[in-house]
Amino acid sequence: MLSSLANRLYWMGRNLERSEATARLLQVYADLLLDLPKDAGIGWETLVRITGAEEAYGQARQWGVANAVLRYIAADQSNANSIINCIAVARENVRTLREVVPREGFESVNDLHLLAQKKLGRTSYVRVRFTILKEIVQRCQQISGLFEGTMSRGLAYDFLMLGRYLERADMTTRVLDVAGEALSLEDEISDHDALVWISVLRSSSGYQMYRQSVRSRVTPVRVLHFLINDLSFPRSIRFCLHEIRRSAGELPNGEAPARAVEDLLARMDGTTLKHLATSDLHGSLDAFQQDLIKVHEAISSTWFEH
Amino acid sequence: MDWSGYDNSQTYDELIGDNRLPRPVAAPLANYLSRLSQRQLQSRQKASERAIMAMGITFTVYSDGQNIDRAWPLDIVPRVLDGAEWNVLEAGLKQRLQALNLFIDDVYHEQRVVRDKVVPQHLISSSRDFLSRCVGANPAHGVWAHVCGTDLIRDADGTVYVLEDNLRVPSGVSYMIENRGVIKRVFPELFANMNIRPVDAYPSQLFDMLASLSPRGGDDPEIVVLTPGIYNSAYFEHAFLAQRMGAELVTGQDLVVEDDGCVYMRAVEGLIRVDAIYRRVNDTSMDPEAFDKESLLGTPGLFKAWYQGNVAIANAPGCGVADDKVVYSYVPDLIRYYLAEEPLLANVPTYRCSDESSMQYVLDHLPELVVKPANESGGYGMIVGPAASRGEIDRFRTLIKEQPRNYIAQPTIALSTVPTVCGDVIEPRHVDLRPFVLQGARSSVTAGGLTRVAMRKGSLVVNSSQGGGSKDTWVVDPS
């Protein structure tokens, strides 16, 4: 397989995952913020920080208006990570991947792009946002399912999965990082902190699964453990890393990326939850993110640039 | 649809002959159409348009600073050709390409053709597409132009003429194949009852031709299709052909020339040596080292790798020297000179403005003539005298005087018509035909080709970039 083709598959995987995660995040936070008092320590700026867009946002907008934040994250052309741009990139990728992805895959991504172009930029945005965001999440899930259900397991599928799981792990660390900064990590938490931790779970689609597997009160340490380490939950960082390691093992010359994954797993093993919750959550998550960047670099230098 | 109201009095019609009776070879089709109600005809046209959308058959138009993917325009009424007539045209097309290849090879070697005064020296020395770097190169089988799209037209009296030989990167063949796929769904009954020659062998013929050029020989050559990228108007076709041949679709950045002088593609498995490149990029965007130093496109060292015989490139660099409308005017002479045969296909009578007496004739008769630049394709930069304004004619008069070598002129040919669905009715519309000719170790020709149709009443412009449509083309043998 051509390196450039593998590269486009990887980035299509990343961009579809990012679109879905960002749409869900917006949905959950928009919902949450209606319930929180203004001094809750969490606000619209939290969203911008999770999506890594502070600087660009600061330059582009006056702070504080819900509508502006939503629009910036969802539909701003100047924000490289906005949903509309992620979908547009995924669509440009899939245009050149028609030979390796199922025809319905091309059509679905194309339709998603048309939907985003038509509806995300609309001015009456707050009013209709729930429907659109929900539809985007659903479409992305449908596309993921289509690829899983129709693509032969081979090079193309593995590169798509590398992109998806790397992006997913990255997104989970971001969500945790920002929540950890804004919220108390003590076991005894206030009602609205509890609400926010539940939202953290929901923005990873994890609330229901958490409830089934944890079966006790929501506490910061348990949420952290679930989203970082639970090997049965497909959005936990550890689960994503195992998937990346598996795909790397299937691919030719995958030693370096697999080693980079092992390094991060070793770091996670060496970081106890107690340590995470009590001393330096931000520092630990930041180290995880740096390691994820190294995994990406290993993937890139092994298969895309030579 | 009743043929008695069909007005084919203007020129030769491919389906309907004298007294508005169908030509024998088209009779089953014409009779079938005559039994369809207007509504049935419309619903079949709509069904074909839906199939084209669903199959994602598109072409790209650059407009308002944006690239737009448009659904491919296909009219459902096929153009029908008699198998016996086609056999002659097919032989003529092969003959023509063989002569052109001998000419190109000669141009880049001894230029006997100039020495023997068959063509003048200035034809080569002033050609924009003569690449002096190609002198002395020896591509496999002595073939330079491996893929040729030859445009054929039929005049009012039924004579078929060659309008031009497209040797650079002719496109359209994927649409020929896709058109057939759609029309088979629209008229399955007719395919069951008529002997229509299939067209879908082309990708495997193209593959075999490319394989016959491989410098390493062997059964498993690595073949790639080189595209300028997704924004090229023919990207759909590049992807289509790569897919049908099982070849990789690459851009210049995917290829690299290593120290051993061979071409490799960058793959996740490592570097993989490439044997033959079906290139759909211009000569000068292939290799920034050899041609355009400023170009970001291309693969440094590619030209040298080809020149040394380490990789085959189809069509070979420099073959554009024969894709020139002044060279065109000499093709019948070239056939006689190189093959010692009489041409089987006629040229449209052509006035070379480089000849002084011809130029004077052209200047005196501009309103009757079609004037074309020697080196453009796609219908750009030309003028159709009878349809041109006074200002345009004056502008061309100046252009011709300034650079006579750059222009040729031809009488306006009527172009035959084919019945075409126009809104609620079927009316005659003008068509041309582009068959695709392959030459490697052997020669082959598509059965028919791509019929392009001018959708506007009376218009002679068939280019899809300028609002033309297309038709399926049936070469029919007696059943």
Side-chain angles (χ1 to χ4, degrees):
Chain A
M1 172 178 284
L2 283 178
S3 298
S4 57
L5 194 73
N7 191 25
R8 292 196 298 271
L9 278 160
Y10 173 79
W11 280 106
M12 183 174 74
R14 287 197 71 157
N15 278 295
L16 285 173
E17 183 66 27
R18 193 177 292 178
S19 310
E20 181 190 335
T22 310
R24 188 185 295 104
L25 200 64
L26 276 187
Q27 226 184 343
V28 171
Y29 273 75
D31 192 27
L32 169 74
L33 291 184
L34 298 177
D35 290 340
L36 288 183
K38 291 209 164 49
D39 59 355
I42 192 156
W44 288 106
E45 73 271 22
T46 316
L47 274 180
V48 179
R49 264 161 53 213
I50 294 176
T51 54
E54 307 92 320
E55 207 175 315
Y57 181 88
Q59 288 162 5
R61 304 279 169 176
Q62 278 287 345
W63 185 247
V65 187
N67 225 359
V69 182
L70 275 173
R71 171 168 288 280
Y72 182 74
I73 295 174
D76 198 320
Q77 303 282 358
S78 71
N79 172 9
N81 291 322
S82 69
I83 298 175
I84 210 166
N85 279 339
C86 288
I87 291 174
V89 174
R91 191 258 189 175
E92 277 308 290
N93 290 141
V94 80
R95 253 165 69 94
T96 61
L97 295 169
R98 284 202 235 192
E99 292 75 54
V100 288
V101 301
R103 176 167 265 174
E104 299 86 347
F106 168 75
E107 286 167 9
S108 304
V109 176
N110 200 37
D111 285 350
L112 175 64
H113 171 68
L114 296 176
L115 172 86
Q117 292 293 326
K118 192 170 152 218
K119 292 194 176 166
L120 271 181
R122 290 229 307 235
T123 44
S124 58
Y125 182 64
V126 170
R127 197 162 45 77
V128 290
R129 71 183 166 230
F130 287 106
T131 354
I132 299 170
L133 292 172
K134 190 173 169 195
E135 197 171 349
I136 285 176
V137 171
Q138 280 174 346
R139 296 270 194 113
C140 289
Q141 287 173 332
Q142 178 212 335
I143 292 165
S144 298
L146 186 93
F147 289 146
E148 269 179 41
T150 58
M151 277 180 80
S152 295
R153 300 308 190 251
L155 295 178
Y157 187 77
D158 281 319
F159 280 110
L160 200 56
M161 291 303 116
L162 281 180
R164 171 192 294 177
Y165 285 108
L166 194 94
E167 186 64 34
R168 191 177 284 178
D170 185 63
M171 205 65 181
T172 304
T173 58
R174 284 168 185 278
V175 169
L176 287 177
D177 193 16
V178 176
E181 218 179 316
L183 299 172
S184 160
L185 296 167
E186 301 297 321
D187 261 5
E188 293 302 323
I189 52 175
S190 69
D191 283 349
H192 39 71
D193 270 18
L195 258 185
V196 180
W197 281 108
I198 288 170
S199 294
V200 167
L201 283 166
R202 284 178 56 213
S203 57
S204 300
S205 265
Y207 183 55
Q208 214 181 336
M209 294 300 133
Y210 172 88
R211 279 300 189 202
Q212 284 174 20
S213 89
V214 180
R215 295 182 176 282
S216 68
R217 197 165 58 84
V218 170
T219 69
V221 171
R222 288 189 189 123
V223 173
L224 286 171
H225 175 69
F226 184 73
L227 289 181
I228 292 173
N229 282 323
D230 192 310
L231 252 189
S232 58
F233 181 59
R235 291 181 186 274
S236 78
I237 298 173
R238 193 174 290 271
F239 182 97
C240 294
L241 289 172
H242 280 230
E243 287 300 308
I244 294 170
R245 186 172 61 182
R246 194 190 53 72
S247 293
E250 301 281 331
L251 289 166
N253 318 316
E255 298 79 13
R259 250 193 331 272
V261 171
E262 293 298 343
D263 289 349
L264 175 47
L265 285 169
R267 186 191 296 281
M268 286 167 62
D269 290 339
T271 314
T272 61
L273 278 175
K274 207 168 170 53
H275 177 77
L276 265 185
T278 52
S279 61
D280 185 15
L281 177 64
H282 176 71
S284 300
L285 289 170
D286 200 43
F288 291 177
Q289 282 209 342
Q290 294 307 316
D291 282 354
L292 278 173
I293 290 172
K294 285 183 192 143
V295 175
H296 164 75
E297 284 167 355
I299 288 171
S300 202
S301 65
T302 302
W303 291 301
F304 309 150
E305 302 154 7
H306 60 89
Chain B
M1 171 67 216
D2 175 7
W3 295 110
S4 63
Y6 181 77
D7 177 16
N8 63 342
S9 60
Q10 295 300 311
T11 181
Y12 186 97
D13 191 89
E14 301 280 340
L15 261 55
I16 307 299
D18 296 340
N19 302 322
R20 292 177 186 160
L21 291 172
R23 298 186 187 282
V25 70
L29 170 66
N31 293 336
Y32 177 90
L33 291 173
S34 68
R35 287 195 298 273
L36 292 181
S37 70
Q38 212 176 73
R39 205 173 53 80
Q40 286 172 314
L41 192 71
Q42 289 291 328
S43 82
R44 277 170 175 72
Q45 179 67 39
K46 289 270 156 20
S48 87
E49 283 160 16
R50 277 196 304 275
I52 285 167
M53 287 297 278
M55 291 162 79
I57 310 172
T58 60
F59 72 110
T60 312
V61 188
Y62 188 79
S63 159
D64 300 331
Q66 273 197 313
N67 286 284
I68 302 162
D69 258 359
R70 288 220 187 120
W72 174 249
L74 168 63
D75 179 79
I76 56 168
V77 183
R79 185 248 194 92
V80 182
L81 286 159
D82 188 303
E85 182 189 25
W86 181 252
N87 292 342
V88 178
L89 297 178
E90 184 179 312
L93 289 163
K94 288 181 184 172
Q95 178 195 51
R96 204 171 164 93
L97 186 57
Q98 278 158 11
L100 285 167
N101 272 310
L102 288 164
F103 169 70
I104 303 168
D105 204 50
D106 189 17
V107 163
Y108 289 115
H109 290 92
E110 299 155 54
Q111 301 198 352
R112 288 184 293 122
V113 72
V114 176
R115 213 182 50 210
D116 292 344
K117 300 198 163 37
V118 181
V119 303
Q121 174 64 43
H122 75 79
L123 184 69
I124 294 160
S125 55
S126 67
S127 165
R128 195 183 66 182
D129 290 298
F130 173 78
L131 299 178
S132 55
R133 288 171 156 271
C134 295
V135 170
N138 290 300
H141 317 295
V143 175
W144 295 65
H146 309 86
V147 183
C148 175
T150 307
D151 291 343
L152 301 178
I153 55 175
R154 196 196 292 275
D155 199 3
D157 66 1
T159 315
V160 172
Y161 293 101
V162 175
L163 185 65
E164 57 187 50
D165 310 283
N166 295 286
L167 299 180
R168 292 188 188 96
V169 281
S171 61
V173 74
S174 60
Y175 300 110
M176 173 191 81
I177 297 168
E178 295 280 39
N179 282 356
R180 176 59 57 85
V182 173
I183 294 301
K184 267 166 139 174
R185 293 193 205 174
V186 178
F187 299 125
E189 314 88 327
L190 288 169
F191 282 87
N193 296 325
M194 295 171 75
N195 266 338
I196 302 166
R197 292 190 198 173
V199 297
D200 43 17
Y202 182 83
S204 63
Q205 288 170 342
L206 179 62
F207 182 91
D208 291 349
M209 183 279 286
L210 292 164
S212 80
L213 311 177
S214 166
R216 286 192 295 183
D219 283 340
D220 195 15
E222 196 64 58
I223 291 170
V224 300
V225 177
L226 177 60
T227 173
I230 189 161
Y231 296 111
N232 186 270
S233 62
Y235 179 78
F236 170 85
E237 175 155 308
H238 308 161
F240 175 94
L241 290 173
Q243 187 189 5
R244 291 289 176 100
M245 288 196 290
E248 292 290 351
L249 180 64
V250 303
T251 61
Q253 286 82 3
D254 291 317
L255 300 178
V256 60
V257 180
E258 290 285 281
D259 294 341
D260 61 1
C262 296
V263 181
Y264 295 83
M265 58 180 167
R266 303 176 209 264
V268 295
E269 299 88 348
L271 294 178
I272 298 173
R273 175 153 174 206
V274 173
D275 296 298
I277 300 172
Y278 178 37
R279 55 109 169 190
R280 297 293 297 258
V281 303
N282 295 332
D283 274 351
T284 47
S285 348
M286 263 191 289
D287 181 352
E289 206 173 279
F291 300 106
D292 185 357
K293 299 264 187 302
E294 303 296 306
S295 174
L296 295 173
L297 304 167
T299 312
L302 184 59
F303 180 86
K304 201 168 160 197
W306 168 78
Y307 194 88
Q308 291 172 342
N310 294 329
V311 70
I313 298 179
N315 291 350
C319 82
V321 70
D323 185 343
D324 173 305
K325 294 191 176 61
V326 183
V327 172
Y328 159 89
S329 70
Y330 287 99
V331 173
D333 300 328
L334 297 176
I335 291 170
R336 293 186 194 101
Y337 176 68
Y338 289 112
L339 302 173
E341 294 170 9
E342 273 307 303
L344 299 167
L345 289 175
N347 259 14
V348 177
T350 302
Y351 303 97
R352 301 172 195 124
C353 297
S354 52
D355 301 344
E356 224 161 281
S357 57
S358 299
M359 178 167 100
Q360 200 49 52
Y361 177 87
V362 171
L363 293 174
D364 292 345
H365 295 83
L366 273 178
E368 301 150 35
L369 298 169
V370 179
V371 180
K372 298 173 179 174
N375 260 318
E376 298 292 334
S377 62
Y380 294 106
M382 62 181 274
I383 179 177
V384 179
S389 70
R390 217 195 167 86
E392 280 178 291
I393 287 180
D394 287 342
R395 192 164 65 82
F396 267 77
R397 181 165 289 137
T398 318
L399 287 171
I400 292 169
K401 281 186 195 156
E402 280 169 10
Q403 292 186 301
R405 162 70 180 87
N406 274 357
Y407 293 92
I408 56 118
Q410 295 167 336
T412 324
I413 304 276
L415 292 198
S416 58
T417 55
V418 177
T420 301
V421 179
C422 303
D424 289 341
V425 290
I426 290 190
E427 289 183 352
R429 287 291 182 269
H430 294 292
V431 296
D432 76 350
L433 177 64
R434 177 177 286 185
F436 295 86
V437 192
L438 297 177
Q439 189 181 348
R442 299 185 305 128
S443 299
S444 62
V445 181
T446 51
L450 178 67
T451 292
R452 300 185 299 175
V453 51
M455 296 304 289
R456 266 189 304 121
K457 191 169 194 157
S459 167
L460 298 173
V461 181
V462 296
N463 308 77
S464 55
S465 54
Q466 300 188 34
S470 72
K471 285 173 168 292
D472 191 18
T473 309
W474 294 358
V475 176
V476 175
D477 294 310
S479 48

